[in-house]
Amino acid sequence: MIKFFRKIRQNLLSEGKTGKYFKYAIGEIILVVIGILIALQINNWNENRKNKIAEADYYCRILDDFELNEKLIDETSKLTTDKIKLCKELILDLNKPPNDRGEILNKFVFALRQDVFVPSNITFEDITSSGQLKLLTDLELKNRLIQHSTFLNNILNLLQENRNEILKRMSDFELICDFGFQDIDYLNQELDKELLDLLPKNDWTNEPNNPIFVKFQDNLVFFIAMLIRQKQHLSNLKKEMQEPIELLKNKKCK
């Protein structure tokens, strides 16, 4: 094609048709420019199409994360409710002598076990860390997702503070052998009878005036309060999620 145009230009020059040559050259330039513009337009159209596909995929993946988090919140809240019930039972058992210190402490360890809420926020973190947030063209939804991310991080910080307070309070016993850690199953199974016989036989669970009894019971009440607070944080998070979930569902992912 280039050779064809070159031959035409050469013929015009050899025939002395300079005016026509310049007109032809200008026309050729215009055609080249038009070709470049068309190529750029096609390229832009293709890029926009790819971006739209990526945007739609991000919306659907974010919705999947939200729906998974709803389930995780429900599961964690159920476990928290069960722990509250167990702590109430422990207070009752503690105040019904004679009781067995080992049974009470093993229930206590089970109640103390931390089921940490770890939300799935992979997609939004991927978008923000990779600089792809600009692909989200729905400004209302994008701003709402940013707000939710901030709210989620605040809730996670509050839950972490909650756990720290629980662990700090529940482990604050000066002498662990007096408290009876050796009665806890995983430790009791490791210690042989000879070692167990050497350790203190403090029957504090049957002595309401014993300082360990008083402190343990007080800690259980504190634990219940912290667990209730944890449920409230999770409930607030679930409520906050509903608006972005509805906006994402409008994207017709499901």
Side-chain angles (χ1 to χ4, degrees):
M1 182 66 71
I2 293 174
K3 288 182 179 180
F4 174 74
F5 288 136
R6 186 184 296 124
K7 187 175 181 180
I8 293 175
R9 291 198 303 272
Q10 289 172 349
N11 289 337
L12 290 172
L13 284 173
S14 63
E15 294 172 4
K17 300 177 180 178
T18 307
K20 289 186 177 180
Y21 171 81
F22 282 118
K23 289 180 182 179
Y24 176 80
I26 292 171
E28 188 176 321
I29 291 170
I30 292 172
L31 286 175
V32 170
V33 170
I34 291 172
I36 292 172
L37 290 175
I38 292 172
L40 288 173
Q41 186 63 33
I42 292 172
N43 185 61
N44 288 338
W45 175 83
N46 194 43
E47 280 299 311
N48 288 335
R49 184 180 63 84
K50 288 180 183 179
N51 289 341
K52 287 294 181 184
I53 292 172
E55 179 184 12
D57 181 61
Y58 276 135
Y59 287 141
C60 294
R61 287 166 55 194
I62 293 171
L63 179 59
D64 287 341
D65 285 344
F66 269 88
E67 292 180 339
L68 174 58
N69 288 340
E70 275 194 304
K71 293 179 182 178
L72 291 174
I73 288 172
D74 290 341
E75 291 171 0
T76 307
S77 295
K78 172 63 168 56
L79 290 171
T80 304
T81 299
D82 292 342
K83 287 181 181 182
I84 292 172
K85 180 180 178 182
L86 183 55
C87 287
K88 290 178 180 178
E89 291 175 359
L90 271 169
I91 294 173
L92 292 174
D93 291 344
L94 197 61
N95 287 278
K96 290 180 182 177
N99 55 56
D100 183 271
R101 186 179 71 176
E103 289 182 6
I104 286 178
L105 291 183
N106 277 294
K107 278 187 179 181
F108 162 71
V109 169
F110 184 79
L112 189 61
R113 187 182 65 193
Q114 295 293 307
D115 298 290
V116 181
F117 170 66
V118 182
S120 175
N121 200 30
I122 298 172
T123 306
F124 192 73
E125 288 178 353
D126 175 52
I127 295 173
T128 53
S129 63
S130 63
Q132 296 302 305
L133 195 59
K134 63 180 180 294
L135 290 180
L136 305 188
T137 58
D138 187 328
L139 294 181
E140 179 188 6
L141 178 52
K142 178 163 68 173
N143 290 333
R144 194 62 187 80
L145 292 174
I146 293 171
Q147 290 173 11
H148 172 74
S149 181
T150 302
F151 189 89
L152 174 61
N153 288 330
N154 288 336
I155 289 292
L156 292 177
N157 288 333
L158 291 172
L159 291 174
Q160 182 62 55
E161 290 175 7
N162 221 50
R163 286 193 297 274
N164 291 342
E165 287 297 319
I166 289 171
L167 292 174
K168 177 182 175 182
R169 188 79 177 257
M170 290 303 185
S171 60
D172 186 23
F173 289 94
E174 188 174 348
L175 299 174
I176 64 171
C177 289
D178 271 345
F179 179 68
F181 264 65
Q182 62 271 24
D183 290 347
I184 298 171
D185 284 343
Y186 67 83
L187 186 57
N188 188 270
Q189 292 168 8
E190 187 65 28
L191 299 174
D192 56 40
K193 186 176 184 304
E194 182 180 2
L195 287 174
L196 290 171
D197 288 342
L198 295 174
L199 301 178
K201 303 294 189 294
N202 189 340
D203 194 26
W204 60 266
T205 60
N206 286 292
E207 300 170 3
N209 294 322
N210 189 303
I212 299 176
F213 182 106
V214 174
K215 185 174 184 178
F216 184 74
Q217 181 171 252
D218 190 61
N219 282 355
L220 285 172
V221 174
F222 174 81
F223 192 14
I224 291 172
M226 291 294 100
L227 290 172
I228 292 171
R229 187 182 176 197
Q230 178 173 299
K231 283 187 65 176
Q232 289 172 342
H233 290 325
L234 292 171
S235 176
N236 290 338
L237 177 59
K238 187 173 181 179
K239 288 177 184 176
E240 196 277 340
M241 291 167 58
Q242 299 314 304
E243 184 181 1
I245 285 176
E246 288 305 312
L247 291 172
L248 287 164
K249 285 183 176 178
N250 288 337
K251 298 298 178 182
K252 310 298 181 186
C253 287
K254 301 297 183 182

